[in-house]
């Protein structure tokens, strides 16, 4: 059966070539993606500086350390790191009780000194500084660790512990599960097709256009064909770049521009600072071959229909496979139609 002959208004499954996993799409459950509900939740006025905030300039952190009076993005080692650099190497080989010790380090990046701003509120020049810090941190940590995970949890709904604009950087000796899957899938695709999976995917998507949300000279934002989360997106470079460390000056600026655009669209969707987990995937470090990789960012927002109605990945999703109602094409159309600020 060809995808072309498949009726996308009927229940169907889509394959995620990046992870090798399937997803159930049930568009008949919502004839229309837009159910009209639009809560205009007024933005609560917050101060630029918050004396009680652990991340504001000059303030004391939870462990007693003091933040400098920073003006640019500020990075520090997480006071409660999930990974520690000096954990002694150890392995327990057993088919049923298998374990290994884990080495790494975790850092926090304050995006701005201003407590009350979020990424899409910042001017492009400030977002570009954050991109440069992501690049520098990845370059440094990549000399020592196989994987450097840059991410942001935004909003209390996504478990962010503090409203101050910040993200995290975790570096680990081990290649974590999700990038390991993506690595294997991209490698298999490269062996079979002699070209990188995501390079070909982007080419095809730019021809189709139906899942494209926004693009500029160097970047494109899509709702991927296999999107699990209602308004999930993938951000891809138009050049074959394997790691964030390889961006040139122009690509840094255009990345800042497209990030601002898509995140402002997100804020417009339900008229709230839009919660999400967003992060970067690029080729692992300390490896021989990485040409099968294309750098990309994923954003996974939890909201479904309004500022309050969240998509739950429970039941069938936990026990069977992820399921969504309205299609990725409908989500892309909705996001495309929204203005940025
Ligand atoms: P999240 O809001 O995404 O949880 O990120 C905040 C991180 O900041 C969190 O991992 C760290 C927490 O451990 N943190 C410090 O390192 N020092 C502090 O004083 C407060 C929070
Ligand atoms: Zn603050």
């Amino acid at each position: 059966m060809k995808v072309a002959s498949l009726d996308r208004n009927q229940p169907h499954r889509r394959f995620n070539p990046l992870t090798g996993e399937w997803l159930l799409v049930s568009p008949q459950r919502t004839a229309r993606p837009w159910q009209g509900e639009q809560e205009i939740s007024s933005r609560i006025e917050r101060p630029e500086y918050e004396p009680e905030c652990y991340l504001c300039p000059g303030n004391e952190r939870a462990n007693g350390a003091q933040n400098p009076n920073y003006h640019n993005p500020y990075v520090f080692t997480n006071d409660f790191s999930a990974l520690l650099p000096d954990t002694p190497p150890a392995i327990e080989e057993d088919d049923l009780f298998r374990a290994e010790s884990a080495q790494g380090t975790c850092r926090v990046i304050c995006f701005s000194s201003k407590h009350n701003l979020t990424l899409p509120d910042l001017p492009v020049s400030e977002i570009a500084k954050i991109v440069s810090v992501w690049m520098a941190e990845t370059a440094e940590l990549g000399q020592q660790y196989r994987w450097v995970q840059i991410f942001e949890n935004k909003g209390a709904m996504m478990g962010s512990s503090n409203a101050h604009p910040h993200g995290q950087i975790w570096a680990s000796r081990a290649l974590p599960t999700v990038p390991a899957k993506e690595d294997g899938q991209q490698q298999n695709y490269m062996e079979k097709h002699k070209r990188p999976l995501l390079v070909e995917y982007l080419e095809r998507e730019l021809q189709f256009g139906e899942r494209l949300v926004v693009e500029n000279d160097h970047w494109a934002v899509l709702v991927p064909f296999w999107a699990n989360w209602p308004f999930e997106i993938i951000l891809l470079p138009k050049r074959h770049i394997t790691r964030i460390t390889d961006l040139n000056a122009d690509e840094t600026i255009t990345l800042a521009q497209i990030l601002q655009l898509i995140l402002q669209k997100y804020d417009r969707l339900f008229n709230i600072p839009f919660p999400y987990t967003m992060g970067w995937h690029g080729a692992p470090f300390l490896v021989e071959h990485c040409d099968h990789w294309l750098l990309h960012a994923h954003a996974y927002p939890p909201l479904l229909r309004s500022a309050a109605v969240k998509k739950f990945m429970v039941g069938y999703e936990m026990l069977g496979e992820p399921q969504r109602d309205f299609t990725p094409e409908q989500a892309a159309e909705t996001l495309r139609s929204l203005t940025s600020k």
Side-chain angles (χ1 to χ4, degrees), residues 168-190:
Q168 299 195 44
I169 303 161
W170 292 23
S172 58
R173 201 175 65 88
L175 185 60
T177 307
V178 176
K181 271 188 215 161
E182 291 194 1
D183 187 52
Q185 290 291 121
Q186 289 177 100
Q187 200 159 351
N188 291 343
Y189 190 94
M190 186 82 164

Side-chain angles (χ1 to χ4, degrees), residues 4 13 26 32 37 40 42 49 58 77 97 127-128 134 141-142 146 149-150 159 198 208 212 256 286 315 322 327:
R13 293 168 80 221
S26 319
R32 286 279 308 137
E37 202 176 347
I40 315 268
S42 57
Y49 168 74
T77 298
F97 301 91
I127 301 175
W134 286 340
L141 291 164
R146 183 153 304 143
Q149 183 61 62
I150 290 170
L198 285 175
F208 290 133
L212 181 66
L286 315 176
T327 62

Side-chain angles (χ1 to χ4, degrees), residues 54 61-63 76 78-80 108 153 159-162 166 168:
Y54 291 127
R61 295 210 301 273
N63 71 342
F76 63 90
N78 197 312
D79 302 313
F80 310 92
V108 178
N153 296 327
S160 176
S161 60
N162 188 318
H166 69 280
Q168 299 195 44

